[in-house]
Amino acid sequence: MKILWKGLGTILMMVGITVGQSIWGGGWTVYPAAAAQPMQTMTDFAAHPARESILLGLQKGFIWKYPDGRFYPDKQIVQSQFVASLVAIRGIKETAPVPELPAGHWAKGTYERAKKAGILTDIKIDPNKLLTKEEAAQLVFNAWKPYRGVKMNGYTNTGALITWGWMDPAPAGQPKFREDLPVTRGDAAKMLAYLWKDKGQLELGAKWAEEFERSLIIKNGVLKGKVPTGSNDFAIMASVIPINNGMRGFLNGELINVKISEYKPFIVFSIRSKSDSSNVGLYQYSIPSLDKENRTIQFSSAKLGGNNE
């Protein structure tokens, strides 16, 4: 029996994902998806711990209900559902061959897009496979490598994702990093919500970094520029370090005007979310060349804590 999310069909609009056969009646069904979906009655997830994440995913179009209008948050998620959501969040359109699936297979289009983006690296393709934490975490790290790099050394995929904060630990009384536990659709919605938010914030950070870079000039030994005004949801700061130590910071919308001879030869530009203090952009510019180095926090640079006991 194939378990599919509502919105998965032979065509997934906007990103062109090909997925799924309906489990009701066994026939082919085409659903609109990858776009905001009409908000329906919350039916079976109104009181669920993942309620807000499920609502976000339905609104943004990266998760789907079943054809009967229910979400089934406590069902174990299958590989094709999770892969389709990752493809939708990444907005992948290009494809690469997936010979493991025959021509005409209901999931082939989805998997071809996932293959192109590296999401299927070291993954055994099985669209109907019920996912464990370790399997879901590996897919997350594969999908997010372009944004946050590789996972932390010395940890399983599960342990690394729990440490990063995007996967819940095992229930109390069990080993914190149990890799074999099932991943429910509610669990998946929570992880996917983190990815959606992180991608959007990183894109904003990169946009503001480009705006900041365009403003920088050095003339007659003076560095001038402007910190982007940005948004009230983010703290944006450019920092210079005086030769005699200390720090001087310029915040959202402020103008920069400093003698470069009085400061160390670099300026740091950072963007931080005010809601959770997450780093959504960190760049360093050399003075006087103004060459840029991207130092946005990577998975591998996270401060690790806890143990797998």
Side-chain angles (χ1 to χ4, degrees), residues 206-223:
K207 173 187 174 182
W208 289 329
E210 291 176 2
E211 180 182 342
F212 175 68
E213 186 174 353
R214 289 194 299 268
S215 78
L216 293 176
I217 59 170
I218 296 177
K219 187 175 181 180
N220 298 326
V222 175
L223 172 68

Side-chain angles (χ1 to χ4, degrees), residues 1-4 20-24 66 78 81 105-106 128:
M1 178 180 292
K2 296 177 177 62
I3 306 173
L4 303 173
Q21 189 178 28
S22 171
I23 64 172
W24 281 270
Y66 282 77
V78 298
Q81 294 172 348
H105 190 281
W106 56 269
N128 298 312

Side-chain angles (χ1 to χ4, degrees), residues 10 13 21-22 37 94 101 103 111 172-173 244 255 264 285:
T10 52
M13 295 190 304
Q21 189 178 28
S22 171
Q37 302 166 69
E94 297 181 355
L101 298 178
Y111 278 75
N244 297 323
L255 297 175
K264 294 185 178 180
Y285 297 84

Side-chain angles (χ1 to χ4, degrees), residues 43-59:
T43 59
D44 59 340
F45 66 89
H48 196 275
R51 173 183 178 274
E52 294 304 318
S53 295
I54 295 170
L55 285 172
L56 175 68
L58 292 173
Q59 181 185 26

Side-chain angles (χ1 to χ4, degrees), residues 45-300:
F45 66 89
H48 196 275
R51 173 183 178 274
E52 294 304 318
S53 295
I54 295 170
L55 285 172
L56 175 68
L58 292 173
Q59 181 185 26
K60 300 301 182 182
F62 59 81
I63 58 176
W64 304 269
K65 290 184 179 182
Y66 282 77
D68 67 353
R70 297 184 181 184
F71 186 76
Y72 295 97
D74 295 319
K75 279 184 176 287
Q76 190 171 358
I77 196 168
V78 298
Q79 187 186 86
S80 56
Q81 294 172 348
F82 200 63
V83 168
S85 289
L86 294 172
V87 169
I89 291 173
R90 287 279 308 270
I92 303 159
K93 297 180 180 179
E94 297 181 355
T95 62
V98 180
E100 294 91 337
L101 298 178
H105 190 281
W106 56 269
K108 193 170 180 68
T110 298
Y111 278 75
E112 287 178 338
R113 287 163 175 78
K115 179 69 174 290
K116 180 65 175 181
I119 294 172
L120 301 180
T121 301
D122 298 323
I123 298 294
K124 181 179 179 181
I125 294 175
D126 184 353
N128 298 312
K129 179 175 178 51
L130 295 167
L131 291 185
T132 65
K133 281 193 165 189
E134 183 66 10
E135 292 160 345
Q138 183 178 6
L139 285 166
V140 168
F141 281 117
N142 286 351
W144 235 242
K145 185 176 180 179
Y147 302 102
R148 296 286 187 181
V150 297
K151 75 174 181 69
M152 299 81 94
N153 289 330
Y155 279 63
T156 63
N157 293 298
T158 303
L161 200 59
I162 289 172
T163 300
W164 185 259
W166 286 1
M167 177 181 275
D168 291 337
Q174 300 184 34
K176 180 179 179 181
F177 299 152
R178 272 193 64 184
E179 297 91 353
D180 62 318
L181 291 177
V183 174
T184 67
R185 287 162 55 82
D187 296 332
K190 291 169 70 175
M191 286 187 277
L192 294 165
Y194 282 119
L195 299 181
W196 174 270
K197 178 182 177 182
D198 194 54
K199 180 173 182 283
Q201 291 187 155
L202 288 171
E203 289 172 349
L204 276 177
K207 173 187 174 182
W208 289 329
E210 291 176 2
E211 180 182 342
F212 175 68
E213 186 174 353
R214 289 194 299 268
S215 78
L216 293 176
I217 59 170
I218 296 177
K219 187 175 181 180
N220 298 326
V222 175
L223 172 68
K224 294 184 179 182
K226 181 181 179 181
V227 179
T229 302
S231 159
N232 289 333
D233 297 327
F234 297 90
I236 307 177
M237 183 169 71
S239 307
V240 289
I241 310 297
I243 296 295
N244 297 323
N245 295 320
M247 185 186 78
R248 184 178 178 188
F250 302 86
L251 300 176
N252 303 53
E254 293 186 343
L255 297 175
I256 300 167
N257 190 324
V258 297
K259 292 184 179 180
I260 60 176
S261 61
E262 298 176 358
Y263 295 86
K264 294 185 178 180
F266 59 86
I267 182 169
V268 176
F269 179 73
S270 64
I271 310 101
R272 178 179 55 80
S273 169
K274 291 181 180 179
S275 63
D276 59 11
S277 297
S278 59
N279 167 266
V280 295
L282 181 65
Y283 302 87
Q284 181 170 301
Y285 297 84
S286 300
I287 297 174
S289 68
L290 298 181
D291 291 336
K292 179 173 65 176
E293 180 183 355
N294 188 342
R295 294 191 172 189
T296 302
I297 291 178
Q298 302 284 292
F299 282 131
S300 58

